[in-house]
Amino acid sequence: MQILFQWDIHRTAEHWLDDFWAQRPTEPDVRRFAEQLVQGVMEHRDELDALIGRQATNWTLNRMPIVDRNILRMAVYELLWLSDIPAKVTVNEAIELAKRFADDETKGFVNGILDQVLKGDPRLEAKRAEVSVEP
């Protein structure tokens, strides 16, 4: 999430990403997963933003706090492109990130948007079944 936050501000990771990892020694598999999320969000940002924007009634992505929109981008990317991660895990992790990095209202906002994405996107039929959410 912190990498995506910086990327959202600077639109590049070139100058600070190596420093980020140097300051945060991480297991190789954790780093690979984090980099997969970051790369996936960057590659699919336009589609992610459009999908989130359709669900965020009265909000545009530009009006959302940077933390909120990047939690949502990361979670929606996981839902759509990482089939081995159950939807319930993705949603719970997004809410935990919101609790940790955002204000009190964000967890409900994130939960609501992700619920709408799960209910509305036909590509998520299998994941909907995992959490027993009706389309």
Side-chain angles (χ1 to χ4, degrees):
M1 213 291 299
Q2 293 170 332
I3 295 170
L4 288 172
F5 183 93
Q6 290 295 327
W7 171 76
D8 201 352
I9 292 171
H10 303 290
R11 291 293 181 221
T12 182
E14 294 174 24
H15 303 289
W16 52 267
L17 190 55
D18 289 334
D19 289 337
F20 177 87
W21 289 119
Q23 294 172 23
R24 293 161 186 86
T26 306
E27 295 294 323
D29 57 332
V30 172
R31 181 174 173 167
R32 276 191 299 276
F33 179 71
E35 289 177 346
Q36 177 185 15
L37 285 176
V38 169
Q39 190 64 35
V41 168
M42 290 189 303
E43 287 176 10
H44 297 282
R45 183 183 60 107
D46 291 340
E47 183 178 356
L48 294 168
D49 287 359
L51 183 56
I52 294 164
R54 284 192 298 274
Q55 304 306 328
T57 307
N58 300 321
W59 280 93
T60 63
L61 269 295
N62 290 337
R63 282 189 55 224
M64 285 180 199
I66 295 172
V67 169
D68 298 13
R69 72 175 165 244
N70 282 295
I71 289 171
L72 287 167
R73 284 171 174 158
M74 195 167 42
V76 174
Y77 172 78
E78 272 189 28
L79 288 171
L80 290 171
W81 281 280
L82 301 181
S83 60
D84 59 325
I85 299 176
K88 188 173 187 172
V89 171
T90 297
V91 172
N92 287 341
E93 287 297 319
I95 291 169
E96 287 303 313
L97 285 170
K99 287 178 185 176
R100 182 172 178 193
F101 292 106
D103 64 30
D104 291 338
E105 294 176 13
T106 299
K107 64 185 176 193
F109 179 69
V110 165
N111 189 43
I113 297 291
L114 295 178
D115 183 55
Q116 294 294 16
V117 169
L118 266 169
K119 287 178 180 178
D121 195 294
R123 297 172 289 182
L124 295 171
E125 185 175 342
K127 288 200 176 193
R128 268 195 304 274
E130 293 171 1
V131 292
S132 301
V133 176
E134 292 296 321

